[in-house]
C-alpha cells in the first residue's frame, strides 16, 4: 500500500525508461495513468570501430550514438520534454546501469532535461506489480561504480577483441571474435606450456 501511495505521488507526467518493449508494456500496465513507459531497446551508445579508446589518456573512451538508436533517442527526448520526472528503470545489472547512464547523457546532449524536477534510477529484480511499485518508491542516483565496471569491461573488449579478432579470422576462417577472457586465458595457457617445455628439456639434459 505504501509503495502504491509513493508511486501515485510520482505519477504526474513521469517518463519511465526500460530496456525492452515487452517490459515497457507490462510496467505501463502496473503503473497506470500519469506514467509513460518507453524502451531504450538495449544500448544506445557504443565505441566506434576505430579510435574508441585512447590508451595515452588513461584509457579514455569516446562513445557514439548507435545509428539504429537515433530514432529511439528522439522519442525519449520528446517524451522527456513533456515530463516532470524521468525514472531510468533499465535492468539491475552492470549493463543496465550503463544503459541508464548513456540514456541520461544522451538526453542531456539533446537538451531534453531542462525543466525536470527529478531524474533518478530505479531497479526491480522481478516483473511483478509489487516489485515495480516498490522500485518507484525508492529511486536512487546512478551507481557510478557499476558504470566504471562497465567502462573497464568495454575497454578490454575493445582493445583485446578488436586487435585479436582480425588475426583469428585470418588464421581460422569462420571463427568467432576473440573475447577478453578467452584471449587472456589462452595466453596464460601458452605461457605455462612454454615453461613446462623448458623444464622438460632441462630435465633431459641433467638426466
Amino acid at each position: 500500500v505504501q509503495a502504491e501511495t509513493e508511486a501515485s505521488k510520482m505519477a504526474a507526467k513521469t517518463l519511465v525508461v526500460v530496456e525492452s518493449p515487452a517490459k515497457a508494456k507490462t510496467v505501463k500496465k502496473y503503473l497506470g495513468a500519469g506514467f509513460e513507459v518507453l524502451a531504450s531497446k538495449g544500448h544506445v551508445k557504443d565505441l566506434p570501430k576505430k579510435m574508441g579508446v585512447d590508451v595515452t589518456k588513461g584509457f579514455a573512451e569516446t562513445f557514439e550514438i548507435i545509428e539504429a538508436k537515433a530514432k529511439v533517442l528522439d522519442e525519449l527526448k520528446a517524451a522527456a520534454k513533456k515530463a516532470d520526472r524521468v525514472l531510468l528503470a533499465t535492468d539491475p545489472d552492470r549493463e543496465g546501469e550503463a544503459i541508464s547512464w548513456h540514456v541520461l547523457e544522451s538526453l542531456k546532449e539533446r537538451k531534453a532535461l531542462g525543466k525536470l524536477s527529478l531524474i533518478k534510477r530505479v531497479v526491480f529484480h522481478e516483473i511483478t506489480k509489487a516489485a515495480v511499485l516498490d522500485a518507484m518508491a525508492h529511486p536512487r542516483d546512478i551507481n557510478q561504480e557499476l558504470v566504471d565496471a562497465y567502462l573497464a569491461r568495454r575497454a578490454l573488449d575493445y582493445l583485446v577483441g578488436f586487435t585479436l579478432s582480425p588475426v583469428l579470422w585470418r588464421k581460422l576462417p569462420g571463427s568467432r571474435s576473440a573475447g577478453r577472457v578467452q584471449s587472456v586465458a589462452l595466453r596464460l595457457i601458452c605461457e605455462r606450456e612454454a615453461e613446462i617445455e623448458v623444464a622438460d628439456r632441462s630435465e633431459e639434459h641433467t638426466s
Side-chain angles (χ1 to χ4, degrees), residues 5-80:
T5 302
E6 292 296 327
S8 65
K9 290 179 182 178
M10 305 183 73
K13 298 181 181 177
T14 299
L15 170 63
V16 180
V17 181
V18 297
E19 285 189 39
S20 75
K23 187 180 292 184
K25 185 176 180 180
T26 302
V27 171
K28 169 61 179 174
K29 180 178 66 176
Y30 293 151
L31 295 177
F35 288 89
E36 183 172 7
V37 187
L38 297 178
S40 71
K41 300 178 182 178
H43 283 279
V44 297
K45 283 189 172 186
D46 200 3
L47 296 171
K49 291 185 177 180
K50 293 183 179 180
M51 306 300 290
V53 179
D54 191 340
V55 296
T56 67
K57 295 182 178 179
F59 297 91
E61 295 167 69
T62 302
F63 286 88
E64 295 180 348
I65 291 172
I66 299 170
E67 187 175 350
K69 298 302 176 64
K71 184 177 179 181
V72 171
L73 287 172
D74 287 342
E75 292 174 352
L76 292 177
K77 174 186 175 180

Side-chain angles (χ1 to χ4, degrees), residues 4-163:
E4 291 185 4
T5 302
E6 292 296 327
S8 65
K9 290 179 182 178
M10 305 183 73
K13 298 181 181 177
T14 299
L15 170 63
V16 180
V17 181
V18 297
E19 285 189 39
S20 75
K23 187 180 292 184
K25 185 176 180 180
T26 302
V27 171
K28 169 61 179 174
K29 180 178 66 176
Y30 293 151
L31 295 177
F35 288 89
E36 183 172 7
V37 187
L38 297 178
S40 71
K41 300 178 182 178
H43 283 279
V44 297
K45 283 189 172 186
D46 200 3
L47 296 171
K49 291 185 177 180
K50 293 183 179 180
M51 306 300 290
V53 179
D54 191 340
V55 296
T56 67
K57 295 182 178 179
F59 297 91
E61 295 167 69
T62 302
F63 286 88
E64 295 180 348
I65 291 172
I66 299 170
E67 187 175 350
K69 298 302 176 64
K71 184 177 179 181
V72 171
L73 287 172
D74 287 342
E75 292 174 352
L76 292 177
K77 174 186 175 180
K81 283 196 166 186
K82 299 175 186 176
D84 296 321
R85 307 172 185 87
V86 172
L87 297 177
L88 303 166
T90 48
D91 290 354
D93 56 11
R94 178 186 59 199
E95 296 296 311
E97 205 74 18
I99 291 171
S100 282
W101 178 63
H102 274 148
V103 167
L104 177 58
E105 292 299 308
S106 298
L107 291 177
K108 286 180 180 178
E109 292 164 5
R110 284 168 159 71
K111 303 186 186 305
L113 305 177
K115 297 181 180 179
L116 291 173
S117 62
L118 180 72
I119 309 165
K120 290 288 185 179
R121 175 87 164 102
V122 296
V123 296
F124 43 86
H125 297 269
E126 56 184 43
I127 314 300
T128 63
K129 185 174 182 179
V132 170
L133 292 178
D134 185 65
M136 299 300 143
H138 298 91
R140 61 167 174 78
D141 294 328
I142 286 177
N143 185 327
Q144 191 58 45
E145 290 184 353
L146 283 178
V147 173
D148 290 343
Y150 162 79
L151 293 174
R153 180 199 66 78
R154 195 67 193 90
L156 280 172
D157 274 343
Y158 188 90
L159 294 171
V160 175
F162 279 34
T163 302

